[in-house]
Amino acid sequence: MKASLIINLIAAHNSGDENEFAHALEALASDEEKKGNVPLANQIRNTYKNRSKVGTVKKTDFTPISSTFMPQAATMSTIAPRDKDSMLELYELINPEVGLEDVVLPKAQKEALQRIIEEQKNIKMLHKHNIMPSNRLLLCGPPGCGKTLTAKALAKEMGLPMAYVRLDGLVSSYLGQTSTNLRKIFDSVKNQRIVLFLDEFDTIAKKRDDSNELGELKRVVTTLLQNFDNMPEHVFLIAATNHHHLLDPAIWRRFNLSIILELPNEEQRTELIKKWIIEFKIGAKIDVQLISKITEGLNGAQIRELMVAATKHYITNNNNLENEDVVKILIQQLTMFTENKDSYWAVLKDMHQRGVSLRSLEKATGIKHSTIQYRVGNKSKNTKESENNAE
C-alpha cells in the first residue's frame, strides 16, 4: 500500500469528517484494485460499509438515501473498467436518444413503464414514506421485440446515461475472471446515478441445477446474486433475455418487475408502419392495413428493415412506391431472394391467404397469374371479393 494514501486516511479520521474519510478510504481501495488486488479492495470497502456505531439503529431492509446526498449521473468522461486479459471495456457508456413515445407496446406494459419512471422522478417523496422506488426490471421476449429499445427509452425518460454491459468483455475463459469482471462493473457504478443494462442476461444467470453447466458458471450466478443484493437503490438495473426459461429461480426474486415483450400484434404493426412512413417521409399512398397483415409473425426489427428497403425503392424510383413493390421486397426478404424452393411458394400462398390478390402477386413476382393460382391453391372468400372489386 502507498504510504501517502495511508497517511491521508489517518488524517481524515483525525479530522472527524466522515466524507473526507470515505474518500480517502475509496482512494486506498481503488489503488489496490488497480494493482490487481481486487479481493483486498472489496474487503476494505465492505468493512467500512458494514461498520456499526454505538447508538445507531440496526440496518433494515430499507436504507433510504439521505435527502442531502444523491449521486450525480455518470458523464461521458467516466472510465469503464476493463477485462484483465483482453483489456476490453466491460461496458459502454451511452446517452440514449429514444424516448418512450418511440416504443410501440401494449397499453398495460407502457403504463407499467410509466409508473417506474414516475417513481424514479419522485424518489424523495417515496423516502418520506419509507418506500424504495423500483430499480430492477427484467425484460423477456424473442429477438427484435424491442427489449434494448425499451431499456434505452427508460434511461432517456429518467434523464440518465446507460452503462451497456459488453458480454464479449464480461465473459472470460479464465477461471474466476467472469466473477471478477461482474464485481468490477457493480463497483464501478455503485457511486453513480445510472442505468445498468445487462443484455443477453441468460448468459450469466442460468439455472445452477443444470448438469450440463460447469461449476464456474454456477459461481458466476452466486456472484451475480451477491452484487444484486448489495446494489444501491440509485443504480437502476435492467436485464434483458431471449430465454427467460433458462434463468435461475433465485434471479427472479431480485427484480421488482418482469415484463414479457412479444411479437407485435396487428394493431402494433399498423402503428409501427405508420410511424416509419412519417419518419422516412414516404409520400406514396400504400395500403398500411394490407402490409400489417402480411407482416404477421415478424418482429419490430424485421418490419423496420422492410420499411427501410421500401423507402430506398421509393427514393430510387422517382418517389414511386406501390403495394406490389412492398410485397416484392417482403417476399425477397422472407425467401432470401431464392425462387427455387418450396418455401417460396409457401410464402406466396400465405400472402394470398392474408389478402394479397393474385394479380398483385403476379405484378410483384413476374410469374403468370394462372401459374400462381395453380400453385397456391383455392382463393379465400375475402380475396375473391377484393379481386372482383379491383376488376
Side-chain angles (χ1 to χ4, degrees):
M1 292 185 181
K2 290 184 179 178
S4 60
L5 294 176
I6 297 175
I7 292 172
N8 290 340
L9 186 66
I10 296 172
H13 171 72
N14 291 336
S15 71
D17 188 330
E18 189 67 18
N19 287 331
E20 185 178 342
F21 180 82
H23 289 144
L25 184 138
E26 178 59 28
L28 182 64
S30 297
D31 183 67
E32 290 301 313
E33 193 173 59
K34 290 178 182 177
K35 292 187 289 187
N37 299 329
V38 176
L40 177 59
N42 288 336
Q43 187 177 2
I44 292 172
R45 293 187 178 107
N46 291 335
T47 301
Y48 175 69
K49 181 172 64 176
N50 296 328
R51 70 194 186 285
S52 60
K53 296 182 180 179
V54 177
T56 58
V57 179
K58 290 184 178 180
K59 185 177 178 182
T60 63
D61 291 337
F62 172 63
T63 306
I65 299 175
S66 167
S67 59
T68 60
F69 172 72
M70 173 62 76
Q72 295 296 312
T75 64
M76 298 311 289
S77 60
T78 300
I79 300 176
R82 294 176 180 270
D83 175 72
K84 180 181 178 181
D85 298 291
S86 68
M87 292 307 294
L88 289 172
E89 290 187 341
L90 297 180
Y91 62 73
E92 178 185 3
L93 197 63
I94 60 177
N95 282 320
E97 298 181 354
V98 295
L100 206 56
E101 71 277 0
D102 298 306
V103 182
V104 177
L105 295 172
K107 182 180 179 181
Q109 293 184 348
K110 215 159 192 179
E111 288 177 348
L113 297 176
Q114 192 62 54
R115 284 196 298 271
I116 289 177
I117 295 168
E118 292 303 318
E119 286 183 26
Q120 288 293 315
K121 290 181 178 179
N122 292 278
I123 289 179
K124 291 183 179 180
M125 293 296 294
L126 291 174
H127 284 168
K128 290 181 180 180
H129 295 271
N130 288 336
I131 296 177
M132 288 181 63
S134 299
N135 70 333
R136 299 174 188 177
L137 172 65
L138 177 63
L139 299 175
C140 312
C145 65
K147 298 185 295 294
T148 300
L149 183 67
T150 300
K152 290 180 178 180
L154 280 173
K156 172 70 173 179
E157 296 294 339
M158 288 186 273
L160 298 177
M162 172 188 284
Y164 195 130
V165 174
R166 298 173 55 98
L167 283 176
D168 56 348
L170 170 63
V171 179
S172 174
S173 59
Y174 292 93
L175 187 66
Q177 189 60 40
T178 300
S179 294
T180 298
N181 287 344
L182 268 175
R183 285 191 291 268
K184 283 183 179 180
I185 290 171
F186 280 89
D187 284 344
S188 174
V189 302
K190 70 179 182 181
N191 292 321
Q192 304 179 59
R193 186 83 172 98
I194 198 170
V195 171
L196 177 60
F197 182 49
L198 305 176
D199 200 4
E200 299 182 47
F201 187 55
D202 51 278
T203 303
I204 56 173
K206 286 185 180 179
K207 296 176 182 176
R208 286 171 289 182
D209 61 359
D210 188 346
S211 60
N212 295 321
E213 293 296 345
L214 300 175
E216 169 65 5
L217 183 57
K218 296 177 182 180
R219 287 190 288 272
V220 169
V221 175
T222 300
T223 300
L224 182 65
L225 293 171
Q226 292 171 346
N227 281 281
F228 267 42
D229 292 339
N230 294 323
M231 189 184 77
E233 66 170 282
H234 54 261
V235 176
F236 193 101
L237 186 143
I238 304 176
T241 176
N242 301 335
H243 308 286
H244 57 276
H245 58 283
L246 296 178
L247 299 182
D248 190 274
I251 289 291
W252 289 92
R253 298 195 298 270
R254 264 63 179 189
F255 289 95
N256 306 119
L257 183 65
S258 301
I259 295 178
I260 296 181
L261 305 182
E262 299 176 335
L263 295 176
N265 57 31
E266 185 171 343
E267 181 181 350
Q268 292 169 329
R269 295 196 301 274
T270 299
E271 186 177 346
L272 284 171
I273 293 167
K274 288 180 178 178
K275 171 182 176 293
W276 286 319
I277 286 176
I278 296 173
E279 182 179 332
F280 300 151
K281 300 177 181 179
I282 303 177
K285 293 182 178 180
I286 53 179
D287 190 340
V288 174
Q289 296 300 326
L290 176 63
I291 298 173
S292 176
K293 288 180 180 179
I294 64 176
T295 52
E296 182 179 354
L298 301 187
N299 60 45
Q302 291 172 316
I303 298 173
R304 188 180 190 279
E305 283 303 312
L306 171 65
M307 297 311 297
V308 167
T311 303
K312 292 177 180 178
H313 179 93
Y314 174 75
I315 294 171
T316 57
N317 286 272
N318 300 317
N319 296 344
N320 180 43
L321 181 69
E322 299 180 0
N323 290 331
E324 289 79 10
D325 298 318
V326 181
V327 171
K328 180 178 181 179
I329 294 169
L330 181 57
I331 291 173
Q332 292 172 336
Q333 291 180 343
L334 293 176
T335 60
M336 300 180 69
F337 295 89
T338 181
E339 299 179 10
N340 299 319
K341 293 183 178 181
D342 292 339
S343 60
Y344 181 82
W345 288 106
V347 169
L348 264 60
K349 182 176 182 178
D350 183 65
M351 286 191 172
H352 181 48
Q353 292 175 342
R354 294 182 192 278
V356 181
S357 69
L358 293 174
R359 296 192 184 282
S360 291
L361 288 175
E362 178 182 33
K363 189 173 182 180
T365 62
I367 301 174
K368 290 183 178 181
H369 173 284
S370 56
T371 302
I372 297 175
Q373 184 176 17
Y374 173 76
R375 294 299 297 265
V376 303
N378 295 329
K379 294 177 282 186
S380 67
K381 180 180 178 181
N382 291 337
T383 306
K384 287 180 179 179
E385 291 176 355
S386 63
E387 288 185 358
N388 290 335
N389 293 334
E391 292 173 356

